[in-house]
Amino acid sequence: MTRRAYLAGNWKMHLDRGSIAEFCEATSAFPSGEGAPRVGLFPPAVYLAETAAALRGSEIVVGAQTARPEDHGAFTGEVAMRMVRDVGATAVIVGHSERRHVFGETDADVRARVDAALALGLEVVLCVGETLDERERDETATVVLRQLDAGLSGIDGATVAEAVTVAYEPVWAIGTGRTASPGQAQEVHALVRARLAETHGEDVAAHTIIQYGGSVKPGNIAELLACPDVDGALVGGASLDPASFAAIVAAGVA
Ligand code: PGA
């Protein structure tokens, strides 16, 4: 089956009010209509409301880079999933490797966020990926499938197919300029899809979007998207400039 490509920009702790306003303006030139890919933007939390407001009425998905699962509580500095939805965002990234490795989020923390987001009707981009050490120890499949199972096991198939995107992001490829080769990406994407077929059924596996992430750029997106199980990308550095992100989005036109 053909899946609609989904290209998402994770702005991490970059950009500001002015550059985000300019970026939002520039999205009016992104491909739209028949054959256009789905586009998502994930601004820093303080800019979520204004990004969502600026893009209201467009088809662009606006989401948070993380959020806590509790509805409220004594979590100084944190933002709840409920607040993400309240300001008009419709999606959230969960389990990004920086959350796992810099902020110590465990598989259980990730799962609590997946459950909370889905319960609120937010879409989830669930990130999975191995570190360089794990790849060198030949543990890529074990780690990625453990993270996938921990994130999604037991969740209703229809919900996964509709509201979950999986992003395979090898940690050694993030922000390093070292992209996984199309062959390396395809191998893991195929593993993820096969596992989804086992755990959630063939139909769910066939519908679920699996993005690749890690040093995606205008110059390598086409060869990645040409892989049968690579359905899009989660882009960090190259999503900060509207022209560069537009070129990545253009590669997703069917
Ligand atoms: P990068 O980041 O494109 O800058 O490597 C990707 C990500 O962390 O999602």
Side-chain angles (χ1 to χ4, degrees):
M1 68 160 287
T2 44
R3 289 173 290 269
R4 184 180 178 203
Y6 182 19
L7 286 320
N10 168 13
W11 289 342
K12 306 192 180 183
M13 204 171 72
H14 297 292
L15 303 183
D16 54 27
R17 277 192 120 156
S19 51
I20 287 174
E22 281 169 28
F23 197 112
C24 290
E25 293 253 314
T27 62
S28 60
F30 283 12
S32 62
E34 184 88 3
R38 200 158 187 245
V39 176
L41 293 171
F42 294 81
V46 286
Y47 303 123
L48 204 48
E50 60 198 86
T51 307
L55 296 174
R56 195 156 295 138
S58 80
E59 285 196 344
I60 296 178
V61 175
V62 176
Q65 299 170 11
T66 183
R68 281 201 71 90
E70 301 84 358
D71 271 353
H72 32 239
F75 299 105
T76 301
E78 295 290 282
V79 163
M81 296 281 175
R82 173 183 69 79
M83 297 166 180
V84 168
R85 190 180 68 169
D86 191 38
V87 298
T90 58
V92 62
I93 298 172
V94 176
H96 189 277
S97 70
E98 286 146 24
R99 299 302 313 178
R100 293 179 190 265
H101 300 292
V102 183
F103 299 99
E105 287 179 15
T106 63
D107 283 342
D109 294 327
V110 170
R111 178 54 183 263
R113 285 158 172 75
V114 170
D115 287 339
L118 294 176
L120 287 166
L122 292 169
E123 275 184 42
V124 167
V125 178
L126 171 66
C127 300
V128 297
E130 82 288 0
T131 63
L132 185 57
D133 270 6
E134 289 162 343
R135 175 161 283 263
E136 284 172 349
R137 289 201 303 266
D138 227 10
E139 290 171 7
T140 300
T142 316
V143 170
V144 167
L145 297 180
R146 188 202 74 223
Q147 292 174 341
L148 184 74
D149 289 346
L152 299 180
S153 69
I155 296 177
D156 165 67
T159 307
V160 172
E162 260 167 49
V164 176
T165 296
V166 176
Y168 168 56
E169 300 207 305
V171 181
W172 47 272
I174 296 179
T176 57
R178 229 186 117 180
T179 320
S181 67
Q184 286 172 319
Q186 170 57 26
E187 192 183 353
V188 179
H189 282 233
L191 270 177
V192 167
R193 201 176 305 284
R195 180 65 131 233
L196 286 172
E198 275 170 43
T199 54
H200 291 82
E202 292 285 349
D203 205 41
V204 173
H207 280 89
T208 302
I209 296 297
I210 309 176
Q211 296 174 326
Y212 167 79
S215 299
V216 170
K217 299 179 204 62
N220 59 24
I221 183 66
E223 60 183 21
L224 289 160
L225 288 178
C227 300
D229 289 297
V230 177
D231 310 315
L234 183 56
V235 186
S239 75
L240 299 176
D241 170 58
S244 138
F245 191 59
I248 290 170
V249 171
V253 174

